[in-house]
PDB file of all heavy atoms in Angstrom:
ATOM      1  N   HIS A 222      23.323  -3.511 -12.125  1.00 37.00           N
ATOM      2  CA  HIS A 222      23.945  -3.863 -10.853  1.00 37.00           C
ATOM      3  C   HIS A 222      24.715  -2.705 -10.256  1.00 37.00           C
ATOM      4  O   HIS A 222      24.984  -2.682  -9.071  1.00 37.00           O
ATOM      5  CB  HIS A 222      24.870  -5.068 -11.033  1.00 37.00           C
ATOM      6  CG  HIS A 222      24.103  -6.358 -11.061  1.00 37.00           C
ATOM      7  ND1 HIS A 222      24.705  -7.575 -11.281  1.00 37.00           N
ATOM      8  CD2 HIS A 222      22.787  -6.622 -10.896  1.00 37.00           C
ATOM      9  CE1 HIS A 222      23.808  -8.531 -11.241  1.00 37.00           C
ATOM     10  NE2 HIS A 222      22.638  -7.984 -11.026  1.00 37.00           N
ATOM     11  N   GLY A 223      25.079  -1.735 -11.059  1.00 37.00           N
ATOM     12  CA  GLY A 223      25.810  -0.589 -10.529  1.00 37.00           C
ATOM     13  C   GLY A 223      24.911   0.544 -10.111  1.00 37.00           C
ATOM     14  O   GLY A 223      25.374   1.571  -9.655  1.00 37.00           O
ATOM     15  N   ASP A 224      23.610   0.360 -10.253  1.00 41.00           N
ATOM     16  CA  ASP A 224      22.653   1.424  -9.920  1.00 41.00           C
ATOM     17  C   ASP A 224      22.736   1.749  -8.435  1.00 41.00           C
ATOM     18  O   ASP A 224      22.810   0.858  -7.597  1.00 41.00           O
ATOM     19  CB  ASP A 224      21.237   0.954 -10.275  1.00 41.00           C
ATOM     20  CG  ASP A 224      20.242   2.108 -10.278  1.00 41.00           C
ATOM     21  OD1 ASP A 224      20.121   2.740  -9.208  1.00 41.00           O
ATOM     22  OD2 ASP A 224      19.605   2.357 -11.314  1.00 41.00           O
ATOM     23  N   HIS A 225      22.681   3.019  -8.089  1.00 37.00           N
ATOM     24  CA  HIS A 225      22.797   3.422  -6.682  1.00 37.00           C
ATOM     25  C   HIS A 225      21.578   3.026  -5.873  1.00 37.00           C
ATOM     26  O   HIS A 225      21.595   3.085  -4.649  1.00 37.00           O
ATOM     27  CB  HIS A 225      23.004   4.940  -6.572  1.00 37.00           C
ATOM     28  CG  HIS A 225      21.787   5.740  -6.971  1.00 37.00           C
ATOM     29  ND1 HIS A 225      21.472   6.022  -8.285  1.00 37.00           N
ATOM     30  CD2 HIS A 225      20.803   6.295  -6.209  1.00 37.00           C
ATOM     31  CE1 HIS A 225      20.352   6.737  -8.319  1.00 37.00           C
ATOM     32  NE2 HIS A 225      19.936   6.902  -7.092  1.00 37.00           N
ATOM     33  N   ASN A 226      20.488   2.625  -6.528  1.00 43.00           N
ATOM     34  CA  ASN A 226      19.292   2.197  -5.806  1.00 43.00           C
ATOM     35  C   ASN A 226      19.317   0.709  -5.477  1.00 43.00           C
ATOM     36  O   ASN A 226      18.331   0.153  -5.009  1.00 43.00           O
ATOM     37  CB  ASN A 226      18.021   2.495  -6.628  1.00 43.00           C
ATOM     38  CG  ASN A 226      17.685   3.957  -6.603  1.00 43.00           C
ATOM     39  OD1 ASN A 226      17.918   4.620  -5.594  1.00 43.00           O
ATOM     40  ND2 ASN A 226      17.168   4.476  -7.700  1.00 43.00           N
ATOM     41  N   ILE A 227      20.437   0.039  -5.761  1.00 39.00           N
ATOM     42  CA  ILE A 227      20.536  -1.388  -5.528  1.00 39.00           C
ATOM     43  C   ILE A 227      21.606  -1.656  -4.483  1.00 39.00           C
ATOM     44  O   ILE A 227      22.666  -1.064  -4.493  1.00 39.00           O
ATOM     45  CB  ILE A 227      20.897  -2.135  -6.839  1.00 39.00           C
ATOM     46  CG1 ILE A 227      19.875  -1.815  -7.931  1.00 39.00           C
ATOM     47  CG2 ILE A 227      21.012  -3.624  -6.618  1.00 39.00           C
ATOM     48  CD1 ILE A 227      18.483  -2.308  -7.636  1.00 39.00           C
ATOM     49  N   LYS A 228      21.339  -2.567  -3.559  1.00 43.00           N
ATOM     50  CA  LYS A 228      22.342  -2.977  -2.581  1.00 43.00           C
ATOM     51  C   LYS A 228      22.416  -4.499  -2.545  1.00 43.00           C
ATOM     52  O   LYS A 228      21.447  -5.197  -2.838  1.00 43.00           O
ATOM     53  CB  LYS A 228      22.022  -2.442  -1.179  1.00 43.00           C
ATOM     54  CG  LYS A 228      20.791  -3.073  -0.527  1.00 43.00           C
ATOM     55  CD  LYS A 228      20.568  -2.459   0.834  1.00 43.00           C
ATOM     56  CE  LYS A 228      19.363  -3.097   1.538  1.00 43.00           C
ATOM     57  NZ  LYS A 228      19.645  -4.494   1.936  1.00 43.00           N
ATOM     58  N   LYS A 229      23.570  -5.018  -2.166  1.00 41.00           N
ATOM     59  CA  LYS A 229      23.772  -6.454  -2.137  1.00 41.00           C
ATOM     60  C   LYS A 229      23.060  -7.055  -0.940  1.00 41.00           C
ATOM     61  O   LYS A 229      23.088  -6.520   0.161  1.00 41.00           O
ATOM     62  CB  LYS A 229      25.272  -6.755  -2.042  1.00 41.00           C
ATOM     63  CG  LYS A 229      25.655  -8.186  -2.397  1.00 41.00           C
ATOM     64  CD  LYS A 229      25.595  -8.397  -3.899  1.00 41.00           C
ATOM     65  CE  LYS A 229      26.180  -9.753  -4.282  1.00 41.00           C
ATOM     66  NZ  LYS A 229      27.629  -9.768  -4.142  1.00 41.00           N
ATOM     67  N   SER A 230      22.387  -8.193  -1.144  1.00 42.00           N
ATOM     68  CA  SER A 230      21.722  -8.892  -0.047  1.00 42.00           C
ATOM     69  C   SER A 230      22.747  -9.415   0.934  1.00 42.00           C
ATOM     70  O   SER A 230      23.814  -9.867   0.554  1.00 42.00           O
ATOM     71  CB  SER A 230      20.884 -10.047  -0.602  1.00 42.00           C
ATOM     72  OG  SER A 230      20.430 -10.859   0.457  1.00 42.00           O
ATOM     73  N   GLN A 231      22.402  -9.395   2.228  1.00 43.00           N
ATOM     74  CA  GLN A 231      23.296  -9.891   3.263  1.00 43.00           C
ATOM     75  C   GLN A 231      23.061 -11.366   3.563  1.00 43.00           C
ATOM     76  O   GLN A 231      23.819 -11.985   4.297  1.00 43.00           O
ATOM     77  CB  GLN A 231      23.115  -9.070   4.555  1.00 43.00           C
ATOM     78  CG  GLN A 231      23.459  -7.601   4.385  1.00 43.00           C
ATOM     79  CD  GLN A 231      24.881  -7.383   3.949  1.00 43.00           C
ATOM     80  OE1 GLN A 231      25.801  -7.975   4.498  1.00 43.00           O
ATOM     81  NE2 GLN A 231      25.070  -6.550   2.932  1.00 43.00           N
ATOM     82  N   ASP A 232      21.962 -11.932   3.032  1.00 44.00           N
ATOM     83  CA  ASP A 232      21.657 -13.335   3.295  1.00 44.00           C
ATOM     84  C   ASP A 232      22.629 -14.224   2.528  1.00 44.00           C
ATOM     85  O   ASP A 232      22.831 -14.053   1.330  1.00 44.00           O
ATOM     86  CB  ASP A 232      20.218 -13.674   2.866  1.00 44.00           C
ATOM     87  CG  ASP A 232      19.200 -12.907   3.702  1.00 44.00           C
ATOM     88  OD1 ASP A 232      19.602 -12.435   4.778  1.00 44.00           O
ATOM     89  OD2 ASP A 232      18.039 -12.795   3.271  1.00 44.00           O
ATOM     90  N   GLU A 233      23.207 -15.207   3.209  1.00 38.00           N
ATOM     91  CA  GLU A 233      24.194 -16.056   2.569  1.00 38.00           C
ATOM     92  C   GLU A 233      23.608 -16.818   1.395  1.00 38.00           C
ATOM     93  O   GLU A 233      24.261 -17.025   0.375  1.00 38.00           O
ATOM     94  CB  GLU A 233      24.772 -17.040   3.601  1.00 38.00           C
ATOM     95  CG  GLU A 233      25.610 -16.352   4.678  1.00 38.00           C
ATOM     96  CD  GLU A 233      26.182 -17.351   5.631  1.00 38.00           C
ATOM     97  OE1 GLU A 233      25.977 -18.556   5.418  1.00 38.00           O
ATOM     98  OE2 GLU A 233      26.833 -16.937   6.592  1.00 38.00           O
ATOM     99  N   ASP A 234      22.339 -17.296   1.555  1.00 45.00           N
ATOM    100  CA  ASP A 234      21.739 -18.084   0.498  1.00 45.00           C
ATOM    101  C   ASP A 234      21.201 -17.221  -0.624  1.00 45.00           C
ATOM    102  O   ASP A 234      20.637 -17.717  -1.581  1.00 45.00           O
ATOM    103  CB  ASP A 234      20.617 -18.971   1.058  1.00 45.00           C
ATOM    104  CG  ASP A 234      19.502 -18.148   1.652  1.00 45.00           C
ATOM    105  OD1 ASP A 234      19.766 -16.993   2.039  1.00 45.00           O
ATOM    106  OD2 ASP A 234      18.364 -18.669   1.718  1.00 45.00           O
ATOM    107  N   GLU A 235      21.335 -15.911  -0.513  1.00 43.00           N
ATOM    108  CA  GLU A 235      20.851 -15.018  -1.555  1.00 43.00           C
ATOM    109  C   GLU A 235      21.972 -14.074  -1.993  1.00 43.00           C
ATOM    110  O   GLU A 235      21.758 -12.954  -2.416  1.00 43.00           O
ATOM    111  CB  GLU A 235      19.661 -14.200  -1.042  1.00 43.00           C
ATOM    112  CG  GLU A 235      18.475 -15.070  -0.630  1.00 43.00           C
ATOM    113  CD  GLU A 235      17.372 -14.238  -0.013  1.00 43.00           C
ATOM    114  OE1 GLU A 235      17.546 -13.012   0.110  1.00 43.00           O
ATOM    115  OE2 GLU A 235      16.344 -14.809   0.353  1.00 43.00           O
ATOM    116  N   SER A 236      23.209 -14.553  -1.884  1.00 42.00           N
ATOM    117  CA  SER A 236      24.349 -13.677  -2.145  1.00 42.00           C
ATOM    118  C   SER A 236      24.402 -13.202  -3.589  1.00 42.00           C
ATOM    119  O   SER A 236      25.053 -12.221  -3.896  1.00 42.00           O
ATOM    120  CB  SER A 236      25.646 -14.404  -1.785  1.00 42.00           C
ATOM    121  OG  SER A 236      25.733 -15.615  -2.535  1.00 42.00           O
ATOM    122  N   HIS A 237      23.672 -13.919  -4.475  1.00 43.00           N
ATOM    123  CA  HIS A 237      23.685 -13.523  -5.876  1.00 43.00           C
ATOM    124  C   HIS A 237      22.644 -12.467  -6.185  1.00 43.00           C
ATOM    125  O   HIS A 237      22.618 -11.926  -7.283  1.00 43.00           O
ATOM    126  CB  HIS A 237      23.398 -14.747  -6.754  1.00 43.00           C
ATOM    127  CG  HIS A 237      22.012 -15.276  -6.576  1.00 43.00           C
ATOM    128  ND1 HIS A 237      21.628 -15.988  -5.452  1.00 43.00           N
ATOM    129  CD2 HIS A 237      20.912 -15.165  -7.360  1.00 43.00           C
ATOM    130  CE1 HIS A 237      20.358 -16.322  -5.565  1.00 43.00           C
ATOM    131  NE2 HIS A 237      19.898 -15.840  -6.699  1.00 43.00           N
ATOM    132  N   THR A 238      21.779 -12.195  -5.230  1.00 42.00           N
ATOM    133  CA  THR A 238      20.653 -11.311  -5.493  1.00 42.00           C
ATOM    134  C   THR A 238      20.962  -9.886  -5.046  1.00 42.00           C
ATOM    135  O   THR A 238      21.507  -9.665  -3.977  1.00 42.00           O
ATOM    136  CB  THR A 238      19.399 -11.808  -4.735  1.00 42.00           C
ATOM    137  OG1 THR A 238      19.129 -13.137  -5.161  1.00 42.00           O
ATOM    138  CG2 THR A 238      18.210 -10.918  -5.036  1.00 42.00           C
ATOM    139  N   PHE A 239      20.575  -8.919  -5.856  1.00 44.00           N
ATOM    140  CA  PHE A 239      20.711  -7.519  -5.509  1.00 44.00           C
ATOM    141  C   PHE A 239      19.349  -7.000  -5.070  1.00 44.00           C
ATOM    142  O   PHE A 239      18.359  -7.125  -5.791  1.00 44.00           O
ATOM    143  CB  PHE A 239      21.242  -6.731  -6.704  1.00 44.00           C
ATOM    144  CG  PHE A 239      22.688  -7.017  -6.979  1.00 44.00           C
ATOM    145  CD1 PHE A 239      23.067  -8.181  -7.640  1.00 44.00           C
ATOM    146  CD2 PHE A 239      23.678  -6.155  -6.545  1.00 44.00           C
ATOM    147  CE1 PHE A 239      24.400  -8.459  -7.882  1.00 44.00           C
ATOM    148  CE2 PHE A 239      25.015  -6.429  -6.787  1.00 44.00           C
ATOM    149  CZ  PHE A 239      25.378  -7.576  -7.453  1.00 44.00           C
ATOM    150  N   VAL A 240      19.294  -6.455  -3.855  1.00 48.00           N
ATOM    151  CA  VAL A 240      18.024  -6.066  -3.252  1.00 48.00           C
ATOM    152  C   VAL A 240      17.804  -4.572  -3.394  1.00 48.00           C
ATOM    153  O   VAL A 240      18.692  -3.775  -3.087  1.00 48.00           O
ATOM    154  CB  VAL A 240      17.995  -6.457  -1.750  1.00 48.00           C
ATOM    155  CG1 VAL A 240      16.668  -6.068  -1.136  1.00 48.00           C
ATOM    156  CG2 VAL A 240      18.232  -7.959  -1.611  1.00 48.00           C
ATOM    157  N   ALA A 241      16.586  -4.199  -3.840  1.00 49.00           N
ATOM    158  CA  ALA A 241      16.291  -2.789  -4.049  1.00 49.00           C
ATOM    159  C   ALA A 241      16.153  -2.053  -2.728  1.00 49.00           C
ATOM    160  O   ALA A 241      15.651  -2.594  -1.749  1.00 49.00           O
ATOM    161  CB  ALA A 241      14.999  -2.647  -4.853  1.00 49.00           C
ATOM    162  N   LEU A 242      16.623  -0.826  -2.693  1.00 52.00           N
ATOM    163  CA  LEU A 242      16.410   0.030  -1.532  1.00 52.00           C
ATOM    164  C   LEU A 242      14.938   0.438  -1.475  1.00 52.00           C
ATOM    165  O   LEU A 242      14.208   0.334  -2.459  1.00 52.00           O
ATOM    166  CB  LEU A 242      17.313   1.254  -1.618  1.00 52.00           C
ATOM    167  CG  LEU A 242      18.812   0.959  -1.543  1.00 52.00           C
ATOM    168  CD1 LEU A 242      19.614   2.231  -1.760  1.00 52.00           C
ATOM    169  CD2 LEU A 242      19.174   0.317  -0.227  1.00 52.00           C
ATOM    170  N   PRO A 243      14.448   0.924  -0.305  1.00 53.00           N
ATOM    171  CA  PRO A 243      13.025   1.288  -0.179  1.00 53.00           C
ATOM    172  C   PRO A 243      12.569   2.272  -1.247  1.00 53.00           C
ATOM    173  O   PRO A 243      13.282   3.210  -1.603  1.00 53.00           O
ATOM    174  CB  PRO A 243      12.959   1.913   1.220  1.00 53.00           C
ATOM    175  CG  PRO A 243      14.092   1.289   1.963  1.00 53.00           C
ATOM    176  CD  PRO A 243      15.182   1.093   0.952  1.00 53.00           C
ATOM    177  N   ILE A 244      11.359   2.025  -1.745  1.00 54.00           N
ATOM    178  CA  ILE A 244      10.771   2.877  -2.788  1.00 54.00           C
ATOM    179  C   ILE A 244       9.744   3.798  -2.153  1.00 54.00           C
ATOM    180  O   ILE A 244       8.913   3.370  -1.361  1.00 54.00           O
ATOM    181  CB  ILE A 244      10.109   2.005  -3.877  1.00 54.00           C
ATOM    182  CG1 ILE A 244      11.180   1.206  -4.622  1.00 54.00           C
ATOM    183  CG2 ILE A 244       9.311   2.855  -4.853  1.00 54.00           C
ATOM    184  CD1 ILE A 244      10.637   0.226  -5.640  1.00 54.00           C
ATOM    185  N   ARG A 245       9.804   5.064  -2.511  1.00 54.00           N
ATOM    186  CA  ARG A 245       8.864   6.038  -1.957  1.00 54.00           C
ATOM    187  C   ARG A 245       7.872   6.540  -3.005  1.00 54.00           C
ATOM    188  O   ARG A 245       6.796   7.003  -2.667  1.00 54.00           O
ATOM    189  CB  ARG A 245       9.635   7.209  -1.342  1.00 54.00           C
ATOM    190  CG  ARG A 245      10.451   6.794  -0.116  1.00 54.00           C
ATOM    191  CD  ARG A 245      11.303   7.933   0.424  1.00 54.00           C
ATOM    192  NE  ARG A 245      11.983   7.538   1.640  1.00 54.00           N
ATOM    193  CZ  ARG A 245      13.096   6.834   1.674  1.00 54.00           C
ATOM    194  NH1 ARG A 245      13.660   6.443   0.555  1.00 54.00           N
ATOM    195  NH2 ARG A 245      13.663   6.506   2.836  1.00 54.00           N
ATOM    196  N   ASP A 246       8.249   6.465  -4.270  1.00 54.00           N
ATOM    197  CA  ASP A 246       7.365   6.911  -5.345  1.00 54.00           C
ATOM    198  C   ASP A 246       6.813   5.683  -6.062  1.00 54.00           C
ATOM    199  O   ASP A 246       7.531   4.970  -6.752  1.00 54.00           O
ATOM    200  CB  ASP A 246       8.137   7.794  -6.335  1.00 54.00           C
ATOM    201  CG  ASP A 246       7.240   8.280  -7.472  1.00 54.00           C
ATOM    202  OD1 ASP A 246       6.005   8.134  -7.360  1.00 54.00           O
ATOM    203  OD2 ASP A 246       7.782   8.792  -8.466  1.00 54.00           O
ATOM    204  N   PHE A 247       5.505   5.415  -5.859  1.00 55.00           N
ATOM    205  CA  PHE A 247       4.892   4.231  -6.446  1.00 55.00           C
ATOM    206  C   PHE A 247       4.247   4.523  -7.803  1.00 55.00           C
ATOM    207  O   PHE A 247       3.765   3.624  -8.466  1.00 55.00           O
ATOM    208  CB  PHE A 247       3.832   3.657  -5.504  1.00 55.00           C
ATOM    209  CG  PHE A 247       4.410   3.067  -4.255  1.00 55.00           C
ATOM    210  CD1 PHE A 247       4.447   3.787  -3.072  1.00 55.00           C
ATOM    211  CD2 PHE A 247       4.936   1.783  -4.257  1.00 55.00           C
ATOM    212  CE1 PHE A 247       4.983   3.242  -1.923  1.00 55.00           C
ATOM    213  CE2 PHE A 247       5.478   1.224  -3.118  1.00 55.00           C
ATOM    214  CZ  PHE A 247       5.506   1.953  -1.947  1.00 55.00           C
TER     215      PHE A 247
END
Side-chain angles (χ1 to χ4, degrees):
H222 280 177
D224 194 301
H225 69 278
N226 285 326
I227 304 295
K228 69 181 182 70
K229 197 75 171 288
S230 170
Q231 298 300 314
D232 295 342
E233 292 182 3
D234 62 336
E235 299 175 359
S236 57
H237 66 286
T238 302
F239 288 78
V240 181
L242 295 175
I244 294 175
R245 294 175 176 81
D246 180 13
F247 291 98

